[in-house]
Amino acid sequence: MTSSGVRHEPSPSTPAAVPRVPPATRREDLVTVLFGACLTAGAMSDGWAHSNIVETIEGFFTPWHGLLYAGFVATAAWTFWLAYQRRDAAPRWWRDAFPAGYRVGAIGAVVFLLAGLADMAWHEILGVEVGLDAEFSPSHLLLDASAVLLLTSPLRSWWASGERGGRSATGVASLALGVMAPSILLTYASAFLTLAPTRAIGAVGTQQAAILGVDAYLITTLVLVGPFLFAHRRRATPGAAAALAAGVALFDMVMHEFPTPQAWAALGAVCGAGLADVLLLRLDAIRGRDAALRLPIAGALLAGLVVAGHLAGLALTAGIGWTPEVTSGVVTLAALLGALLGGLAARPAPAPADPARIPPPAGPARIPAPAGPASAAPVVADPVPPAPADPGR
């Protein structure tokens, strides 16, 4: 049989074959985490410079930006190198050869590069931002969002692998780095830096400081509990909550050179997160991963213990000026917010099947046999022949 010479193109409805790209190894994820830690350290150093020696910064080209962008170049280059190594599996490696979890990180690298160019133009034309100007600069917001995508590639790779044990360490570290990245833009509303609970609440017209303190605890609860539930929904991992709290607290402490009351309070918050880790692992062992209200309980425990630990640290070092109602109420409010986030993160229960809507099993219709001897065989009705085709159609 010979070919007719006609080339048959695949039908548009036929899906193209997806290249089988090897997943990232544990060592490759570890290298990504180390490069990502360098990027995060550069961001911390730049935040420290903006908070402490901003008067010496004259433009974009500073040692602190050098550390930040060196970490970015290393992380981005490694991400694309992982795809290039797999070019045999996908010739269009720049599009199809990224290991599971890294394609989104590659998009983040491209956006980070564009945002960095915009940040350079912003600094050179408008000058160096200070305070809220730095935290709400559009180029900084884009840098932060793209950094989260880039830094969490090992986290998605870990989820895709389904592995436990040592592989969990790179996943948890990647999760912590991804949450640390936006911390630099949230220091104005971080509970780890507030001293509001140490000040007495005065008359109605002077309660603004306490209100801002309560708001800081709620925002920090969102920052910590949301990502934690996102990971805990997939699997409980030892140290995940403590790593998140420690990472965000470290970012804030470095930027402000470890102020004493806040540093001790941050340590109390990390201890509270560690206690939540222990309790949640124990609950999973007793109740199972499919237990009712698993995520609402996890969110409430983590939020309540972190806020309670932070307030305990402030009480030991600087004293609490809030009334018992506000002090206990902010812990309760954080726990309720955590429970609400857990309810939103939980998978909806499947709807029960309606027996009336279950179709009968396919097969020939059976007519009950008439009464008679037990050995009589049932009568099977002949299938109805199809109607002849209408020639007029």
Side-chain angles (χ1 to χ4, degrees):
M1 177 180 283
T2 60
S3 172
S4 62
V6 179
R7 184 176 178 178
H8 296 279
E9 297 293 339
S11 170
S13 61
T14 304
V18 178
R20 297 182 62 86
V21 177
T25 65
R26 184 185 307 177
R27 181 175 297 179
E28 289 172 334
D29 281 348
L30 177 60
V31 173
T32 310
V33 166
L34 294 177
F35 283 146
C38 294
L39 189 159
T40 307
M44 280 195 291
S45 67
D46 188 52
W48 171 85
H50 275 270
S51 300
N52 297 278
I53 57 171
V54 67
E55 64 278 358
T56 66
I57 301 176
E58 298 179 353
F60 178 82
F61 298 96
T62 66
W64 327 112
H65 275 176
L67 292 173
L68 169 65
Y69 286 99
F72 159 69
V73 169
T75 311
W78 174 252
T79 298
F80 280 91
W81 171 250
L82 291 179
Y84 183 73
Q85 283 184 313
R86 292 160 171 78
R87 62 190 181 278
D88 291 340
R92 296 183 178 180
W93 62 269
W94 58 90
R95 190 189 69 179
D96 301 325
F98 290 98
Y102 277 82
R103 186 193 299 269
V104 173
I107 296 173
V110 174
V111 176
F112 194 103
L113 176 61
L114 298 176
L117 295 174
D119 191 46
M120 179 179 66
W122 190 286
H123 278 292
E124 295 301 314
I125 296 173
L126 299 178
V128 179
E129 307 93 334
V130 180
L132 285 179
D133 289 345
E135 293 170 344
F136 283 93
S137 168
S139 58
H140 287 176
L141 293 174
L142 285 175
L143 285 170
D144 248 25
S146 56
V148 172
L149 301 181
L150 182 59
L151 293 170
T152 51
S153 293
L155 172 65
R156 293 184 295 273
S157 175
W158 169 50
W159 284 338
S161 71
E163 296 181 23
R164 297 180 181 271
R167 188 69 176 263
S168 302
T170 57
V172 170
S174 175
L175 175 65
L177 291 175
V179 177
M180 289 170 69
S183 297
I184 190 173
L185 302 185
L186 293 174
T187 54
Y188 66 93
S190 174
F192 292 118
L193 293 172
T194 185
L195 287 176
T198 65
R199 303 185 180 99
I201 300 177
V204 175
T206 61
Q207 294 182 0
Q208 188 63 29
I211 294 173
L212 293 177
V214 172
D215 291 344
Y217 280 114
L218 297 182
I219 291 175
T220 303
T221 296
L222 290 171
V223 170
L224 294 178
V225 176
F228 172 77
L229 291 173
F230 191 56
H232 191 69
R233 173 177 172 173
R234 288 163 171 80
R235 61 181 67 111
T237 308
L244 284 173
V248 175
L250 177 65
F251 212 120
D252 290 342
M253 294 303 104
V254 167
M255 287 182 62
H256 294 272
E257 298 184 331
F258 290 89
T260 300
Q262 292 96 322
W264 282 104
L267 180 60
V270 174
C271 291
L275 179 58
D277 273 324
V278 174
L279 293 176
L280 292 177
L281 287 172
R282 183 60 181 163
L283 282 176
D284 272 4
I286 296 173
R287 303 177 71 233
R289 293 187 61 238
D290 296 326
L293 301 178
R294 175 177 177 264
L295 290 185
I297 291 173
L301 271 177
L302 176 57
L305 289 173
V306 165
V307 173
H310 189 268
L311 290 171
L314 285 179
L316 292 175
T317 56
I320 294 295
W322 281 356
T323 61
E325 292 84 358
V326 176
T327 304
S328 58
V330 73
V331 176
T332 304
L333 187 58
L336 290 174
L337 178 58
L340 175 61
L341 293 174
L344 294 174
R347 295 182 176 89
D354 186 357
R357 296 187 177 184
I358 299 178
R366 293 182 177 271
I367 302 176
S375 60
V379 178
V380 180
D382 293 330
V384 179
D390 186 356
R393 290 191 172 186

